[in-house]
Amino acid sequence: MKLILLGPPGAGKGTIAALISEKYKIPGISTGDIFRKAVKDSTPLGIKVKEIMNKGELVPDEVTCDLVKERLGQDDVKNGYMLDGFPRTIPQAESLSTFAEIDIVINFICSNDVVISRLSGRRICRECGKIYHVTNMPPKTEGVCDICSGELYIRDDDKIESIKNRLEIYKEQTEPLINFYKNLNLLKDIDSSKTPKKAMEQITEIL
Ligand code: AMP
């Protein structure tokens, strides 16, 4: 099973990716997570993409596609995988089709108001990456991860100016992928504006 999770930032892709991964035993590949780790570790890639990410802009297609191609060559993806946050442009989707055969694209539908409220309240564990929300999904102890006791932090690009920029970029560059995959008969819509449980019910039915 080879899946793409498509949708605006804040639509719940990361939260749902963790649930799909657990239920269907397939690895989730998040280009955003790979870039964030590179920034944290100050690798040459991280130094290159840090500013781009902070502003909420997109890393160049070539850099991103090479990274995904390499990742899909690794052993753990043999029985399937899920791409979260890739592709994000038509050239990325075209490039992907030259090295992978996708079965289903899940299109997360969620209003702008909901995504803005989710992104501005999002908190992430610095150690294990678990995602929380200050009101919708709070940790038991403020600022501390329930699972590993890691420190929770706010992503630099979850500040309001970057959020607005990311949503505009989504509309201009990523939304055209909805028609791209619809034309290939791969697209399945889900309403991701409610709880993760409700989103998972729809996804289970599709899969
Ligand atoms: P995400 O965690 O998916 O919201 O991604 C965080 C940031 O990483 C994005 O705002 C971009 O700067 C960068 N990024 C992640 N995936 C891609 C991609 N497929 N193409 C270009 N930039 C990306």
Side-chain angles (χ1 to χ4, degrees), residues 90-147:
I90 296 279
Q92 288 183 13
E94 286 169 345
S95 167
L96 176 67
S97 69
T98 66
F99 59 83
E101 212 166 300
I102 297 299
D103 301 309
I104 298 176
V105 178
I106 299 174
N107 181 33
F108 286 57
I109 297 177
C110 198
S111 72
N112 259 12
D113 287 351
V114 172
V115 302
I116 289 170
S117 129
R118 281 185 184 165
L119 292 173
S120 50
R122 177 158 70 179
R123 300 291 181 272
I124 301 178
C125 174
R126 222 178 260 292
E127 302 305 321
C128 73
K130 182 164 166 56
I131 303 167
Y132 296 86
H133 186 278
V134 283
T135 49
N136 303 344
M137 223 195 298
K140 291 193 187 99
T141 308
E142 197 185 318
V144 181
C145 178
D146 293 349
I147 305 205

Side-chain angles (χ1 to χ4, degrees), residues 30-33 35-36 52-53 56-59 64 84-88 92 155 157 166:
S30 155
T31 39
D33 281 352
F35 289 138
R36 271 184 293 281
I52 298 175
M53 290 181 75
E57 287 169 6
L58 292 185
V59 175
T64 312
D84 161 12
F86 180 91
R88 250 176 162 98
Q92 288 183 13
R155 273 171 51 169
D157 58 354
R166 285 157 70 205

